[in-house]
Amino acid sequence: MLKSSLLEILRTFSKQELIKFEDFVRSPYFNKKKILIKLLLIIKKYSPQFNDIKLEKEKVWFELFPESEYNYGIMKNIIFDLTKLAERYVINIKFGEDKLSESKYLLTFLSEKNLSKMFLNKFDQIERSNSTKRGNINVNGYYGFWIDLLILKSNVLNNTKESHILLEVSSLNLIISFLINSFKIFQNLVVANSDLNINYENNPVALFLRQISPESFHLILENAKLISKTDHFYLELYYKMYCMFFDTNGKSYSCFKKLLFDNLSMLVKKDLRDLHFCLINANDIIADPKYNLPEEKLSVFDSMINLNILTEPHGAISEHIFVYYVSLAFQSYDIKRINKFSDKFSNKLDEGVRDNIIKYVKSLNLFVEKKYEESLNEISRIDPNYFIMKLYLRYIKGRCLYKMKDYEMFLNEYDSVKHFIKNNYKLSDRLKIKLEKFYYFLNHLFKLRENFNEFEISKLRKETVGFYKNEWNWVIVEIENLCNKHMKK
């Protein structure tokens, strides 16, 4: 096949984009090699998959040069040149969509050429444009854009009172942009540490933020409030987001959630989506038992559904989000919620994973219908390519085996789980402990069902309540079921 990177790019093009790319390649401004046009026309015949055997290099060569012997070096260079053109086309398209960068580069040019009058007129036009208004740009883009533009204008005005005011505003923008980006990176570090067991203590951002006391942050916030109440809001919002990741009692979580939910209209969809996911990530840190963590996560996901920000910008939903949602809902047997979600979003999954997800949802339905063996059979038909799906399947499989009273098969699965935990570095310590504890509790449930013992059941109840502080506890439900059956005897 031709160079894979070229075909991978072309596979992403729609029919219309492929036509535009051909126009791009035909343009003498971008391409002066006619052989590249010929190569593209050959490749185009095999769109949109571009996986035909006729796209092997030697076969394409003889279409390009019917009378010539195959030359690996020349063919490699031609493919390379067309690949570079495809990359340049993508850059041009993305740049054309980025009106902020276009404006910034134009003003930079006018400033460099000392065209001050043109610069100031153009600056005023850009400032009045809807595309540069705060409500139309994500937080990072807004502050980064205006830092550069205000500094450019200050340089053009040079040592005037207005230039000093501009420097003051750009200084605030710089601090806000820097701190918000630092808070966001720190949040990513916390999540990476949780899921990948990565130590971030000496990361430059984490190290820097530890040097600033809460009192210093509040001084910065108060200073921002004197200059701009709106800028103060954005800085306070992201500061409270950062604080969530230190507070195990949930107070900072609740403060951030309230501030965010009370001001949804202040943020563009990208920022809303990111901040909702921050809530979900911070949820795992809360230790106060008054919070039902799965229900809390589901409430955040439901907010995302209502705001139409759960899916990716192109409309698809990722496998891990889909599986996470239905698994959370399953913890309380909320099968109506699972099916409503599945009906709404299953067609937005990638075709390669959709079949697995549909089987998973079916297995959850069968379990709630008490068709445990059928649920287990459905699980066995799933071939997960998403690693964490394997984790979720272990939980449902353990429940099925307990309900089926198949202790021998359960013990085999328990051994398999121990091996899975021991040999999977991708699993965080938190996830390993939760899975191991679940099977540990199940093992005790099996034994107590056969030989009921009030002391041991009381001990197990206390241990499970202590472990599952903030979530619906399936194990404790089964403990109560055992106690009720024993009392009836």
Side-chain angles (χ1 to χ4, degrees):
M1 284 289 176
L2 300 178
K3 188 176 180 182
S4 60
S5 55
L6 171 61
L7 298 183
E8 283 176 17
I9 293 172
L10 295 181
R11 285 188 191 105
T12 68
F13 290 174
S14 65
K15 187 176 181 180
Q16 196 60 36
E17 286 171 331
L18 199 57
I19 292 170
K20 289 180 180 178
F21 178 53
E22 182 183 334
D23 292 339
F24 182 87
V25 176
R26 288 182 181 277
S27 167
Y29 179 79
F30 297 106
N31 171 43
K32 293 180 171 59
K33 298 178 180 179
K34 291 184 178 180
I35 192 67
L36 300 184
I37 301 171
K38 191 174 180 181
L39 174 59
L40 178 59
L41 292 175
I42 292 169
I43 295 171
K44 256 186 75 177
K45 292 187 291 186
Y46 305 104
S47 68
Q49 298 301 321
F50 302 104
N51 56 7
D52 197 282
I53 193 171
K54 291 179 182 177
L55 284 174
E56 289 180 357
K57 291 177 186 176
E58 291 84 352
K59 288 183 171 64
V60 174
W61 170 273
F62 288 114
E63 279 202 65
L64 288 171
F65 309 105
E67 305 298 325
S68 302
E69 185 179 346
Y70 177 71
N71 186 304
Y72 169 81
I74 294 174
M75 190 64 194
K76 179 183 175 183
N77 289 338
I78 294 170
I79 296 169
F80 175 81
D81 288 342
L82 186 57
T83 304
K84 297 306 290 183
L85 276 178
E87 292 172 355
R88 179 72 184 276
Y89 171 75
V90 171
I91 291 167
N92 275 31
I93 293 297
K94 298 307 292 182
F95 185 77
E97 295 170 355
D98 187 356
K99 299 303 179 185
L100 298 184
S101 292
E102 280 188 356
S103 300
K104 184 172 72 174
Y105 291 134
L106 176 57
L107 288 178
T108 301
F109 170 81
L110 296 175
S111 173
E112 289 173 349
K113 300 301 181 182
N114 295 317
L115 300 171
S116 301
K117 187 176 180 181
M118 286 181 67
F119 175 96
L120 294 172
N121 287 336
K122 194 65 187 176
F123 188 98
D124 289 343
Q125 290 176 28
I126 292 168
E127 198 170 27
R128 291 194 300 269
S129 170
N130 282 333
S131 64
T132 62
K133 300 295 184 188
R134 190 188 299 270
N136 297 320
I137 313 172
N138 67 66
V139 169
N140 281 1
Y142 178 85
Y143 286 108
F145 175 72
W146 281 108
I147 288 166
D148 293 337
L149 262 64
L150 292 171
I151 290 173
L152 279 172
K153 187 176 181 180
S154 175
N155 291 337
V156 168
L157 294 173
N158 193 20
N159 291 327
T160 62
K161 186 176 181 180
E162 188 179 352
S163 71
H164 176 76
I165 294 169
L166 290 169
L167 283 176
E168 185 173 270
V169 176
S170 62
S171 297
L172 175 61
N173 285 2
L174 176 64
I175 292 300
I176 292 174
S177 178
F178 174 75
L179 286 175
I180 286 177
N181 277 298
S182 297
F183 296 150
K184 290 173 75 172
I185 289 172
F186 181 84
Q187 184 267 157
N188 290 335
L189 289 169
V190 174
V191 174
N193 180 61
S194 172
D195 292 339
L196 302 174
N197 299 324
I198 295 172
N199 189 309
Y200 60 89
E201 289 293 314
N202 294 319
N203 177 276
V205 168
L207 192 61
F208 167 77
L209 290 175
R210 283 204 303 274
Q211 309 313 307
I212 306 178
S213 66
E215 292 76 20
S216 298
F217 273 127
H218 286 295
L219 279 175
I220 294 169
L221 281 168
E222 288 306 308
N223 180 258
K225 196 172 188 178
L226 293 173
I227 301 172
S228 165
K229 288 184 179 179
T230 305
D231 291 332
H232 169 267
F233 161 73
Y234 287 108
L235 187 54
E236 181 184 29
L237 180 70
Y238 280 88
Y239 175 61
K240 286 189 174 180
M241 180 273 287
Y242 163 73
C243 290
M244 285 195 300
F245 294 95
F246 295 99
D247 182 10
T248 58
N249 67 23
K251 184 178 178 182
S252 294
Y253 174 92
S254 296
C255 287
F256 170 70
K257 185 180 180 182
K258 184 177 188 313
L259 185 62
L260 174 63
F261 280 30
D262 286 349
N263 294 278
L264 295 172
S265 62
M266 294 280 287
L267 295 148
V268 298
K269 281 191 171 184
K270 183 182 185 306
D271 291 331
L272 282 172
R273 192 170 192 268
D274 291 345
L275 292 171
H276 274 73
F277 279 124
C278 286
L279 273 171
I280 290 167
N281 290 329
N283 178 285
D284 290 322
I285 294 169
I286 301 172
D288 190 329
K290 75 178 180 183
Y291 288 88
N292 183 320
L293 300 190
E295 280 301 319
E296 186 60 41
K297 284 190 178 87
L298 285 168
S299 74
V300 177
F301 274 129
D302 288 340
S303 172
M304 296 178 76
I305 293 169
N306 292 333
L307 293 167
N308 194 26
I309 56 173
L310 186 63
T311 56
E312 303 292 337
H314 56 281
I317 188 168
S318 65
E319 182 181 8
H320 77 275
I321 290 174
F322 193 105
V323 173
Y324 196 23
Y325 185 96
V326 297
S327 300
L328 286 169
F330 179 67
Q331 289 195 37
S332 55
Y333 289 177
D334 194 344
I335 209 67
K336 287 184 179 179
R337 198 177 207 165
I338 291 170
N339 292 334
K340 182 180 177 182
F341 182 85
S342 183
D343 290 343
K344 185 178 180 69
F345 291 105
S346 60
N347 66 336
K348 298 180 186 299
L349 286 161
D350 183 88
E351 286 185 14
V353 304
R354 193 178 300 153
D355 185 56
N356 272 343
I357 302 300
I358 290 171
K359 289 173 184 172
Y360 181 58
V361 170
K362 186 178 178 181
S363 73
L364 301 182
N365 274 271
L366 289 167
F367 187 93
V368 174
E369 293 169 10
K370 300 183 179 180
K371 298 175 181 177
Y372 307 119
E373 192 168 350
E374 291 178 48
S375 177
L376 192 61
N377 289 336
E378 199 64 34
I379 291 167
S380 67
R381 296 175 59 226
I382 298 172
D383 182 21
N385 48 14
Y386 165 46
F387 176 74
I388 297 298
M389 169 69 100
K390 297 177 182 178
L391 190 69
Y392 292 123
L393 295 179
R394 299 280 184 173
Y395 282 106
I396 183 69
K397 192 171 184 179
R399 292 187 186 192
C400 286
L401 293 172
Y402 176 76
K403 287 294 192 179
M404 291 163 60
K405 301 182 180 181
D406 194 332
Y407 190 47
E408 185 177 345
M409 193 171 176
F410 168 79
L411 289 176
N412 290 333
E413 183 63 21
Y414 196 0
D415 286 339
S416 175
V417 163
K418 290 175 182 176
H419 181 78
F420 177 74
I421 290 171
K422 182 179 178 181
N423 293 287
N424 276 292
Y425 66 91
K426 291 182 181 179
L427 278 179
S428 68
D429 290 342
R430 179 176 59 85
L431 293 177
K432 286 179 179 179
I433 290 168
K434 286 195 75 171
L435 181 60
E436 199 284 326
K437 272 288 188 183
F438 179 74
Y439 269 77
Y440 165 83
F441 291 142
L442 272 181
N443 191 36
H444 278 65
L445 281 172
F446 266 105
K447 292 176 179 178
L448 286 165
R449 184 163 55 188
E450 292 301 314
N451 297 291
F452 189 85
N453 180 293
E454 287 188 6
F455 174 76
E456 290 297 328
I457 204 86
S458 175
K459 184 178 172 184
L460 183 62
R461 182 190 287 110
K462 185 176 180 181
E463 193 173 356
T464 54
V465 169
F467 186 75
Y468 295 111
K469 291 176 183 175
N470 309 85
E471 55 192 286
W472 186 87
N473 189 342
W474 180 81
V475 177
I476 201 71
V477 170
E478 293 303 321
I479 289 173
E480 297 309 320
N481 287 339
L482 283 180
C483 290
N484 292 334
K485 286 180 182 178
H486 181 74
M487 288 175 65
K488 290 177 181 178
K489 289 182 179 180

